[in-house]
Amino acid sequence: MFLGSRSRLRAAVIAAAVGAGALTAATPAAAAPAAGTRAYLVITAPGATSGAATAVSGNGGSVWTSYDAIGVIVAHSGAADFATKMRAVSGVQKVGATRTTDVPAESANPPIPANPSQATPATGEPLRSDMTQIGADKAWAVNTGSSSVTVGVLDTGVDDQHADLKPNFDSANSASCAYGKLDTRAGSWRDTDTHGTHVAGTIAAAKNGSGMVGVAPGVKIASVRIAEKPSGLFFPENTICAMVFSGDRGFEVTNNSYYTDPWLFNCPDNADQDAILEGVKRAVAYAEGKGVLNVAAAGNENYNLANKSRDATSPNDSTPVTRTVTNACLSVPTEVAGVVSVASISSTNTKSSFSNFGTDKIHIAAPGDSVYSTVPGGRYGSKSGTSMASPHVAGVAALLKSTNPTATPAQLRTLLAGQADDLNCTDSRCSGTTAKNNFFGEGRVDALAAVGTGTPPGNSFENTADVNIPDNGAAVTSPITVSGVTGNAPATLKVDVNIVHTYRGDLVIDLIAPDGTAFRLKNSGSDSADNVVATYTVNASGEVANGTWKLQVKDVAAQDTGYVNSWKLTF
């Protein structure tokens, strides 16, 4: 279920096919599943799924997809005793149904979502309160984010043709995992609702003079559609697929504005939910192990996640039953270890009425009330929810990664927490201190601080003189003379580049060492976005530090122009 509006709307999940860690695109099946077919997670030790896969077939099931690297099989079966028999198989650790309803007919041959006609782009980019609230407007003047950073939007899909999203959209790394199987057909990633497109705009809508601007308008967006249609739900096998796909594709950040259906909370004393917990935990850990920072919405129930007692909304794919729950029961992925859980605040820095809370459950807070962003068809609209707060944090995390390209997910979490602005609360349910409490965690996310926290300079040298770049002409250089640095340059020499240009894909950029050795920073390509504002890391340990270094820029195509605004070396 996606966590986007005050009412609990439906959403979706992604699924992928992986063998020994390598993601494989699946071809949709020809025949619809028989009535009574259910989906199951079969959990084994990582790298040991082959025996269990054989047992699946021998016990009335079929392997839908498999992730050997994390020891997870997604199986389909219409046999009522399938789970019981599989739990008795040697090497099988857990087995659980992922839903309480049949696998939908659409899973056999998922339709490509419609490509909506596009409205004329809106004129102007009015400054919005959510962006000023977190200092994003000031951050843009410093660093809009690096195009080498990709944020995966795990959601209902994204309208990749929207004028504010198209410049930053990465179709090569977008897919659908709805219905539990990877689908890389062109357009499979498109929005089946409006939710994912709205989230994507908050993260990285382009700074192009029209519509609105995202928190990190210089980074890339990839869509991984995980919502099924028509249910709109995000089932566990879809979440698992999306996380594995994100890790294998090398995303730096993911945004997860949903909870994994059909259970609001998954309890370890229930065999089905215990398997769901284990499968999602492993997938999240796999993604983080590949360098992905996962950010998630905390939920819209106005619920104390640190004091669970009752759930009257699950399962949401059939008939909900009121049940007793404990703190051992978790909402996933937001309560999974390593995931940054985001609460929503209003424009006056108070807890949004719907936002969940809880001591050591909420990590950070961001604006989530009446957030204006992109919706399909080139249009715009406002939505409320922790779904709208989470992408603000994902955008700031992308800025942090742009500024600190070697930072690990753990280091990014530390930076997010350390930079957050403290928020006081007087609500009787609020406990803790101004520095850290159960409503806002470490506080309100800070985009401006994110772009000012690169590697502290031991020695820094900068050239701020403008150098015009001839259109489709000869290469130009901008020099920096380095002195007073002992020995060779470091293996992590930082090169901050700020180039104003109307089509950055035209540009080839090199760093030239004092002895003439060239280090390629950027190749030309089809990237039509404006400007190059990025930090590159160069292994220059074989070069003497002192001497004249040059930034060399060549425009290799006609019609677009620009200039070197400034650049900096940090040793």
Side-chain angles (χ1 to χ4, degrees):
M1 216 159 285
F2 63 70
L3 306 177
S5 67
R6 295 178 191 273
S7 61
R8 298 188 51 80
L9 302 177
R10 293 185 170 188
V13 187
I14 227 172
V18 171
L23 206 59
T24 305
T27 302
T37 300
R38 297 292 172 88
Y40 298 86
L41 297 181
V42 178
I43 310 294
T44 73
T49 58
S50 59
T54 300
V56 167
S57 300
N59 286 291
S62 60
V63 174
W64 185 242
T65 192
S66 181
Y67 308 89
D68 191 58
I70 59 173
V72 175
I73 295 171
V74 179
H76 286 178
S77 179
D81 59 353
F82 176 78
T84 300
K85 288 183 174 179
M86 285 302 300
R87 288 174 187 138
V89 172
S90 176
V92 171
Q93 299 173 351
K94 302 175 190 287
V95 180
T98 66
R99 43 184 101 200
T100 65
T101 50
D102 291 356
V103 174
E106 291 81 6
S107 65
N109 189 19
I112 298 291
N115 186 9
S117 58
Q118 300 293 316
T120 302
T123 302
E125 289 174 332
L127 190 58
R128 304 188 327 280
S129 61
D130 58 317
M131 294 298 165
T132 59
Q133 196 173 355
I134 66 171
D137 56 324
K138 296 177 181 177
W140 301 331
V142 179
N143 190 344
T144 58
S146 169
S147 60
S148 65
V149 171
T150 299
V151 180
V153 179
L154 280 51
D155 215 291
T156 63
V158 173
D159 178 6
D160 54 306
Q161 297 302 306
H162 195 295
D164 251 341
L165 301 178
K166 187 175 182 179
N168 291 334
F169 192 81
D170 183 359
S171 60
N173 287 303
S174 294
S176 171
C177 279
Y179 315 105
K181 187 169 285 190
L182 180 66
D183 182 357
T184 57
R185 292 176 297 165
S188 64
W189 55 74
R190 293 196 188 114
D191 207 335
T192 56
D193 187 80
T194 61
H195 191 267
T197 300
H198 194 278
V199 164
T202 298
I203 296 169
K207 199 171 189 298
N208 56 6
S210 64
M212 48 87 64
V213 187
V215 174
V219 306
K220 291 294 185 184
I221 307 162
S223 171
V224 187
R225 180 170 77 88
I226 57 175
E228 296 185 2
K229 188 177 176 66
S231 73
L233 296 180
F234 299 71
F235 288 102
E237 60 267 43
N238 302 354
T239 299
I240 291 167
C241 169
M243 289 292 177
V244 172
F245 181 84
S246 299
D248 286 345
R249 291 302 176 100
F251 297 167
E252 281 71 28
V253 181
T254 69
N255 185 80
N256 302 268
S257 288
Y258 62 93
Y259 73 75
T260 299
D261 301 296
W263 306 98
L264 176 60
F265 303 116
N266 291 273
C267 300
D269 61 356
N270 176 283
D272 292 330
Q273 295 163 42
D274 189 38
I276 291 170
L277 280 172
E278 183 65 22
V280 174
K281 285 178 179 179
R282 290 189 186 187
V284 169
Y286 179 87
E288 175 154 342
K290 295 283 189 175
V292 182
L293 177 71
N294 298 297
V295 179
N300 299 336
E301 292 76 35
N302 189 27
Y303 197 105
N304 186 350
L305 297 175
N307 187 25
K308 300 186 184 85
S309 60
R310 182 175 178 269
D311 171 25
T313 66
S314 305
N316 64 0
D317 65 337
S318 55
T319 303
V321 177
T322 299
R323 60 180 180 145
T324 299
V325 296
T326 69
N327 287 345
C329 305
L330 302 181
S331 178
V332 297
T334 195
E335 289 191 89
V336 173
V339 176
V340 177
S341 184
V342 183
S344 175
I345 58 175
S346 69
S347 60
T348 57
N349 295 314
T350 58
K351 186 184 87 69
S352 298
S353 60
F354 49 80
S355 183
N356 287 349
F357 57 101
T359 301
D360 295 327
K361 295 294 185 179
I362 302 302
H363 298 113
I364 202 162
D369 274 13
S370 299
V371 174
Y372 183 81
S373 188
T374 49
V375 294
R379 294 174 170 82
Y380 303 84
S382 295
K383 293 180 183 289
S384 294
T386 54
S387 276
M388 285 58 255
S390 182
H392 286 87
V393 175
V396 172
L399 291 177
L400 274 171
K401 186 66 175 179
S402 299
T403 309
N404 301 270
T406 62
T408 65
Q411 290 169 332
L412 292 176
R413 283 193 294 270
T414 299
L415 286 169
L416 281 170
Q419 296 169 3
D421 300 321
D422 294 342
L423 294 179
N424 186 31
C425 58
T426 57
D427 189 296
S428 60
R429 297 171 299 168
C430 186
S431 61
T433 66
T434 299
K436 184 179 181 181
N437 55 63
N438 66 339
F439 270 23
F440 313 122
E442 298 286 351
R444 183 186 60 217
V445 72
D446 191 330
L448 179 58
V451 297
T453 56
T455 304
N459 287 281
S460 188
F461 304 84
E462 186 173 17
N463 187 338
T464 60
D466 293 350
V467 177
N468 288 325
I469 304 168
D471 186 23
N472 196 20
V476 296
T477 60
S478 175
I480 287 178
T481 299
V482 174
S483 62
V485 179
T486 303
N488 285 6
T492 56
L493 178 65
K494 297 292 187 297
V495 188
D496 292 289
V497 176
N498 187 321
I499 295 175
V500 177
H501 199 275
T502 53
Y503 193 105
R504 63 188 179 205
D506 287 358
L507 300 180
V508 176
I509 307 174
D510 294 285
L511 175 68
I512 309 299
D515 68 356
T517 301
F519 298 90
R520 179 58 50 90
L521 304 181
K522 177 189 174 300
N523 288 310
S524 60
S526 59
D527 186 350
S528 62
D530 295 344
N531 308 333
V532 178
V533 181
T535 300
Y536 301 94
T537 302
V538 173
N539 183 354
S541 57
E543 304 294 326
V544 175
N546 291 334
T548 300
W549 297 73
K550 298 176 183 177
L551 186 73
Q552 179 175 284
V553 184
K554 181 176 174 61
D555 185 332
V556 298
Q559 297 183 353
D560 292 271
T561 60
Y563 60 94
V564 178
N565 185 40
S566 65
W567 72 289
K568 180 171 67 174
L569 289 173
T570 302
F571 289 81

